[in-house]
Amino acid sequence: MPGPEALSAIAGGGVPAVHDPRWKERVPRDTGPGWDFDDVRDFYLRHLFAVDPVQLRSFDPTGICN
């Protein structure tokens, strides 16, 4: 996940749009597969905690779960 300064730059001071290309531009990735480490994190979030990462980002973009 980008650091606070990068998030602020992406969002212009608001809540960042995670579909912005700048969000993933520095995410580590292997050269062969079509996935990156954001995708791996999302897989384990879903698998281990039964949380839908897309829904979480869509409805709770600040990461504050109730």
Side-chain angles (χ1 to χ4, degrees):
M1 184 171 163
E5 298 83 20
L7 288 174
S8 182
I10 291 171
V15 176
V18 295
H19 60 275
D20 188 298
R22 293 173 290 178
W23 177 267
K24 284 193 146 194
E25 74 183 5
R26 298 194 60 175
V27 173
R29 67 173 41 247
D30 292 330
T31 56
W35 49 265
D36 59 30
F37 289 96
D38 255 0
D39 301 327
V40 172
R41 181 208 53 231
D42 286 354
F43 170 81
Y44 283 106
L45 180 64
R46 181 186 309 273
H47 182 73
L48 296 174
F49 299 103
V51 174
D52 180 4
V54 174
Q55 184 177 14
L56 184 63
R57 283 192 295 268
S58 299
F59 296 102
D60 190 16
T62 61
I64 302 170
C65 297
N66 295 325

